[in-house]
């Protein structure tokens, strides 16, 4: 087992109606809030008024910043941070999924500095303070509600990058599974693939941590069992609650215990390139990229992949190749793409993807990828 540090200060408030506690907590954070959200779903499904009513109830003034896009851009973060400064807000309330929460995390840093926020993302500047952040999760998948990661896209520099900082842990996160019942089937499936991928990234991390292996595998089992039912029963509260919980615990540090790092993350680097180039939802990039990455690893770590099969599918007889096929079958069962052609990408696109991946030197932390490996992954994504 490797040495490791575990730290997670996020207060998680989980369950139906929990937003009603916001008026007790908000006054501890200040008198004026910036409420950040996406392109309108939280208004359409009546989630936003439940949040703002709570702020009004305890006399907190608030202004809104809307329009955060999926695969969020640094441009919006810059605008929102300027607004937060101009309006002198004391804290941020993010109402949405990973895109909104990630943006809000960086807004909370940028609002306290005169630095361009992209410099934080690329590690050229180090934040020293942040506004407190409250999150209200409305789509399960990323785990952003209980971690210190933000992933942002910069179309000018052609990058989609994640980074971590302790100042980006939310103070409090409200998780009401009923808020996710309006998430459409495809987006729900994308969240499911994201959760599985987070557990896989951790599983392929550094060091020998049998307990972490089991945590990761149990999360995958839980999500496969629940996800299969949920995509055909979208308004089932218990299924929504199980997926939301699994999503949060897949990327809050739990699956990284006893490891030297938080995981490999090479597949996410590949997925981010697909999102950057073609604006594909994050989860759908991973259902294509993860099987392809595992195929590349067949000869390098066959035993590790077979162990995964044993832990997830209770079948010690599966070959490594069969384990990968089982993951592909699951993604197909929930109608996610597993090949580039299923998201309408051609041979020419595959070439463009490979060029970008090589330009970015996309790699994992544990399993270093070179040009020929990236080429092989693209080939697996194209042809299986
Ligand atoms: O913009 P609106 O109108 O709100 O619509 C959103 C969006 O179109 C919609 N939605 C959200 N809540 C809804 C809803 N629709 C109906 N009912 C609701 N209750 O869902 C769509 C997707 O939202 P988004 O926030 O983009 O999804 P997700 O949570 O999957 O976030 C994806 C982003 O998170 C990053 C990804 O790279 C991607 O940019 N990630 C963040 C991580 C982290 N911070 O730890 C780790 C992940 O690996 C991931 O990279
Ligand atoms: Zn992810």
């Amino acid at each position: 087992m490797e040495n490791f540090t575990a730290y997670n200060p996020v207060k998680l408030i989980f369950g139906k109606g929990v937003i009603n506690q916001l008026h007790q907590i908000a006054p501890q954070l200040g008198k004026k809030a910036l409420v950040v959200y996406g392109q309108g779903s939280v208004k359409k499904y009546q989630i936003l008024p439940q949040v703002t009513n709570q702020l009004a109830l305890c006399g907190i003034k608030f202004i809104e910043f809307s329009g955060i896009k999926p695969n969020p851009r640094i441009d919006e973060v810059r605008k929102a941070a300027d607004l937060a400064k101009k309006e002198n807000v004391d804290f941020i309330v993010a109402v949405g999924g990973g895109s909104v929460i990630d943006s809000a995390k960086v807004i909370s840093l940028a609002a306290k500095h005169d630095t361009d926020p992209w410099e934080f993302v690329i590690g050229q500047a180090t934040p020293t303070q942040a506004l407190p952040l409250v999150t209200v999760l409305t789509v399960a998948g990323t785990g952003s509600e209980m971690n210190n990661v933000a992933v942002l896209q910069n179309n000018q520099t052609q990058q989609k990058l994640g980074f971590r900082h302790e100042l980006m842990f939310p103070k409090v996160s409200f998780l009401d599974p009923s808020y996710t019942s309006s998430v459409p089937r495809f987006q729900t499936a994308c969240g499911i693939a994201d959760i599985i991928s987070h557990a896989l990234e951790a599983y392929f991390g550094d060091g020998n941590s049998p307990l972490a292996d089991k945590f990761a595998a149990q999360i995958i089992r839980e999500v496969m069992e629940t996800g299969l039912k949920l995509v055909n029963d979208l308004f089932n509260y218990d299924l929504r609650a199980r997926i939301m919980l699994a999503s949060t615990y897949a990327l809050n540090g739990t699956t990284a215990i006893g490891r030297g790092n938080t995981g490999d993350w090479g597949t996410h680097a590949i997925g981010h390139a697909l999102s950057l180039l073609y604006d594909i939802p994050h989860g759908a990039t991973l259902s294509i990229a993860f099987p392809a990455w595992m195929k590349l690893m067949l000869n390098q770590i066959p035993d590790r992949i077979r162990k995964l099969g044993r832990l997830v599918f209770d079948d010690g007889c599966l070959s490594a190749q069969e384990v990968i096929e089982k993951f592909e079958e699951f993604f197909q069962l929930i109608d996610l793409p597993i090949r580039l052609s299923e998201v309408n990408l051609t041979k020419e696109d595959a070439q463009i993807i490979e060029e970008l991946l090589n330009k970015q030197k996309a790699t994992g932390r544990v399993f270093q990828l070179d040009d020929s490996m990236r080429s092989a992954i693209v080939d697996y994504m194209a042809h299986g």
Side-chain angles (χ1 to χ4, degrees):
M1 191 179 296
E2 302 291 320
N3 293 0
F4 70 101
T5 302
Y7 175 68
N8 196 314
V10 181
K11 181 173 191 170
L12 200 72
I13 308 184
F14 191 103
K16 206 177 273 182
V18 289
I19 199 65
N20 296 325
Q21 298 174 41
L22 177 59
H23 75 276
Q24 292 157 343
I25 288 167
Q28 298 161 23
L29 304 176
K31 294 190 167 73
K32 189 171 182 185
L34 176 69
V35 179
V36 180
Y37 57 96
Q39 297 187 296
S41 68
V42 298
K43 267 189 167 165
K44 183 171 172 196
Y45 298 109
Q46 298 297 312
I47 298 167
L48 189 67
Q50 296 179 47
V51 177
T52 51
N53 286 349
Q54 284 289 312
L55 297 176
L57 191 63
C58 57
I60 299 222
K61 294 200 180 82
F62 62 88
I63 46 165
E64 296 180 14
F65 184 91
S66 64
I68 303 289
K69 300 181 185 75
N71 299 321
R73 319 294 143 95
I74 189 70
D75 314 72
E76 266 77 38
V77 168
R78 290 184 178 123
K79 286 183 205 152
D82 287 345
L83 182 65
K85 283 182 190 165
K86 185 171 143 250
E87 294 283 339
N88 216 3
V89 303
D90 301 312
F91 64 103
I92 316 263
V93 182
V95 190
S99 297
V100 170
I101 296 174
D102 286 5
S103 300
K105 285 175 176 173
V106 186
I107 295 165
S108 76
L109 302 179
K112 296 290 274 182
H113 298 84
D114 289 326
T115 316
D116 178 53
W118 188 248
E119 299 208 354
F120 296 135
V121 180
I122 58 176
Q124 275 187 359
T126 307
T128 54
Q129 44 185 333
L131 291 176
L133 171 65
V134 173
T135 84
V136 181
L137 187 65
T138 67
V139 53
T142 66
S144 185
E145 64 278 7
M146 202 178 178
N147 69 37
N148 61 346
V149 180
V151 186
L152 289 177
Q153 190 162 308
N154 184 331
N155 289 359
Q156 285 78 45
T157 63
Q158 266 219 319
Q159 286 167 301
K160 182 175 182 190
L161 295 175
F163 78 113
R164 290 176 180 266
H165 197 282
E166 280 197 10
L167 288 167
M168 293 200 298
F169 279 114
K171 286 272 174 287
V172 188
S173 284
F174 291 90
L175 271 61
D176 184 336
S178 68
Y179 285 179
T180 63
S181 55
S182 51
V183 177
R185 189 174 189 273
F186 175 68
Q187 188 62 46
T188 300
C190 286
I192 289 166
D194 199 15
I195 304 168
I196 291 173
S197 301
H198 296 160
L200 288 175
E201 294 282 19
Y203 179 83
F204 292 113
D206 246 348
N208 177 27
S209 180
L211 182 58
D213 286 354
K214 287 176 187 141
F215 279 150
Q218 285 300 331
I219 285 174
I220 297 171
R221 289 173 72 127
E222 168 74 356
V223 168
M224 283 187 168
E225 182 193 326
T226 314
L228 214 48
K229 296 179 191 153
L230 178 60
V231 291
N232 295 312
D233 192 5
L234 293 174
F235 293 94
N236 184 316
Y237 176 84
D238 284 328
L239 296 176
R240 286 288 187 189
R242 286 173 65 179
I243 286 291
M244 197 176 226
L245 190 59
S247 155
T248 303
Y249 276 78
L251 198 51
N252 71 351
T254 305
T255 56
I257 55 161
R259 299 200 191 285
N261 54 27
T262 60
D264 181 65
W265 299 101
T267 307
H268 268 68
I270 293 159
H272 291 338
L274 296 182
S275 290
L276 183 70
L277 286 168
Y278 304 105
D279 213 16
I280 301 170
H282 177 60
T285 68
L286 298 169
S287 59
I288 298 170
F290 232 117
W293 181 89
M294 284 201 274
K295 283 174 195 170
L296 179 75
M297 292 296 146
L298 261 179
N299 293 326
Q300 274 197 57
I301 46 168
D303 292 345
R304 193 86 184 118
I305 299 175
R306 272 205 302 274
K307 180 179 178 187
L308 179 68
R310 211 162 56 237
L311 291 174
V312 172
F313 303 110
D314 265 341
D315 188 346
C317 299
L318 291 174
S319 68
Q321 174 71 36
E322 286 167 334
V323 173
I324 299 168
E325 284 165 11
K326 285 256 188 197
F327 277 91
E328 290 190 331
E329 276 164 28
F330 175 78
F331 291 140
Q332 285 178 309
L333 280 172
I334 58 171
D335 290 329
L336 284 179
I338 58 168
R339 299 285 179 266
L340 295 176
S341 58
E342 294 171 62
V343 286
N344 301 321
L345 298 184
T346 60
K347 229 164 93 181
E348 289 70 37
D349 293 312
Q351 185 64 37
I352 293 168
I353 294 164
E354 190 178 327
E355 278 164 20
L356 179 65
L357 291 175
N358 286 337
K359 185 176 146 207
Q360 294 179 335
K361 302 203 180 316
T363 188
R365 290 180 193 161
V366 183
F367 299 98
Q368 299 293 319
L369 303 176
D370 60 23
D371 283 6
S372 70
M373 291 159 131
R374 288 185 278 264
S375 172
I377 291 175
V378 173
D379 203 46
Y380 288 130
M381 293 196 294
H383 307 295

